[in-house]
Amino acid sequence: MLSRRFADEDGALFFFDKANPQKGVQFTRPSNLFVKRHLYSSERKDGSKDASLESEFRDLEGLTDQIIRKIIEAARRGQLPALSSEERRTWDLFFYYQLKRSPEAIEALLGDFDFDSAVREKFELYEKYFGRPISQKMRDDVQSPAALKRLRQSVIVQVMRYQSPRVLKALGEKGLGIVIIKKARKSFVLGSHAMVKLTPPEKTPLSDPRIEWWLPIASDVTVSIMASPPPEKLVDSPDDRHIRSLNKLVFKQSRIIAGRSRALIASLAGCD
């Protein structure tokens, strides 16, 4: 839904994958990139998949696709999109999920969490509360590699599905800053972890008026949350240095970056 808006005139995307640096800059179609099967599906004990969250995200993306088209078309005319209250709520929900749903964000959240130790701790609490030991068979079943993998994926799905009222309220109180590149030879890149946080050095909550989160939605358009009012604002076209800085931040935090320019992707990846 996003990646096709970063393709070149022939509908191709140039990309670089940090997991396979020896392949250098490659090209593909948008439908083949940023794809990870069952990332938001949990697994039942019988091995079947619960893909309901995947369906929810697909429906949300369908609604958001129309809003993104509206934002981009208005920006290219030098106008504001004038989103309705319903469109803004949909956009905020999409933006909220983009903050946490990338593989990199999930890994940052759960990468160091020791599920095996957590399960042992729950066993101890169970035995203390009920005053009887848990059978070795149950321990083996629950702590098997397959069971722990299933547990971890279940936690991921629960965390992804959860909607924080506090965060959504903070987003709803923000304005939208819309940036468009006017130079034909310059462009934004899309990353597997596309959200870029710009904030003062100290840790700041989302409600802080100084905080900015940027999301490229096309090769020439980026949307940022900003202090409000106004609810929407066209931001001056960034200079070359700011475009480069944003692209470098996307590359730094993403495993995969993609864009319409082979030269740009090669430059960011150090392949030029």
Side-chain angles (χ1 to χ4, degrees):
M1 190 268 287
L2 283 177
S3 60
R4 61 186 171 85
R5 294 184 162 100
F6 291 79
D8 66 9
E9 293 79 3
D10 297 322
L13 272 174
F14 296 98
F15 73 97
F16 179 82
D17 186 347
K18 291 179 182 177
N20 298 289
Q22 72 281 359
K23 293 185 178 181
V25 178
Q26 305 172 73
F27 73 94
T28 187
R29 297 293 170 182
S31 59
N32 298 328
L33 201 59
F34 303 120
V35 176
K36 187 169 183 179
R37 289 176 58 82
H38 302 303
L39 181 59
Y40 313 114
S41 297
S42 56
E43 183 178 325
R44 304 181 182 93
K45 291 189 70 173
D46 64 3
S48 61
K49 301 287 186 181
D50 177 358
S52 57
L53 183 58
E54 305 265 6
S55 297
E56 291 173 24
F57 281 159
R58 184 172 61 248
D59 293 342
L60 176 61
E61 288 165 5
L63 294 172
T64 308
D65 183 56
Q66 302 172 46
I67 297 170
I68 289 177
R69 182 169 63 248
K70 184 176 182 178
I71 293 172
I72 293 171
E73 290 176 353
R76 289 172 179 168
R77 294 193 303 267
Q79 299 174 349
L80 294 172
L83 300 183
S84 68
S85 57
E86 183 178 352
E87 288 173 328
R88 180 56 199 268
R89 283 193 295 270
T90 299
W91 169 262
D92 286 346
L93 188 59
F94 172 77
F95 199 87
Y96 166 74
Y97 280 127
Q98 292 302 113
L99 288 169
K100 64 177 183 175
R101 66 179 284 193
S102 72
E104 290 88 344
I106 293 171
E107 187 61 31
L109 183 66
L110 297 175
D112 295 331
F113 188 78
D114 189 342
F115 283 89
D116 194 43
S117 296
V119 169
R120 288 197 300 270
E121 182 179 328
K122 294 299 182 184
F123 282 158
E124 292 172 3
L125 289 173
Y126 178 93
E127 291 178 334
K128 181 177 180 180
Y129 184 81
F130 289 102
R132 63 175 185 270
I134 294 175
S135 70
Q136 188 59 47
K137 182 180 184 306
M138 180 177 287
R139 287 179 180 274
D140 293 342
D141 287 346
V142 175
Q143 292 181 287
S144 69
L148 290 174
K149 180 180 178 182
R150 190 165 57 244
L151 173 63
R152 186 180 191 279
Q153 184 62 23
S154 177
V155 170
I156 288 173
V157 171
Q158 290 180 53
V159 170
M160 291 302 104
R161 175 172 271 126
Y162 175 71
Q163 297 179 14
S164 168
R166 178 180 60 83
V167 175
L168 287 170
K169 180 176 183 295
L171 285 175
E173 294 170 349
K174 295 284 187 178
L176 295 185
I178 302 163
V179 181
I180 183 164
I181 296 177
K182 295 179 180 179
K183 293 183 178 181
R185 293 177 60 84
K186 298 295 180 180
S187 60
F188 294 120
V189 297
L190 182 65
S192 50
H193 185 45
M195 301 291 295
V196 174
K197 184 181 182 183
L198 302 179
T199 182
E202 69 271 18
K203 186 176 181 180
T204 52
L206 190 60
S207 56
D208 191 302
R210 298 171 297 171
I211 198 171
E212 296 179 13
W213 277 98
W214 293 69
L215 174 63
I217 59 172
S219 61
D220 59 340
V221 181
T222 288
V223 177
S224 169
I225 59 171
M226 64 179 189
S228 182
E232 298 175 354
K233 180 181 179 181
L234 284 175
V235 181
D236 291 340
S237 181
D239 59 29
D240 295 357
R241 181 173 58 87
H242 285 108
I243 296 170
R244 181 70 177 182
S245 177
L246 184 66
N247 284 339
K248 287 174 69 175
L249 286 170
V250 173
F251 175 73
K252 180 179 179 180
Q253 66 187 26
S254 299
R255 197 198 91 184
I256 299 173
I257 59 164
R260 61 187 296 111
S261 167
R262 174 187 285 276
L264 174 57
I265 300 301
S267 173
L268 291 168
C271 299
D272 52 355

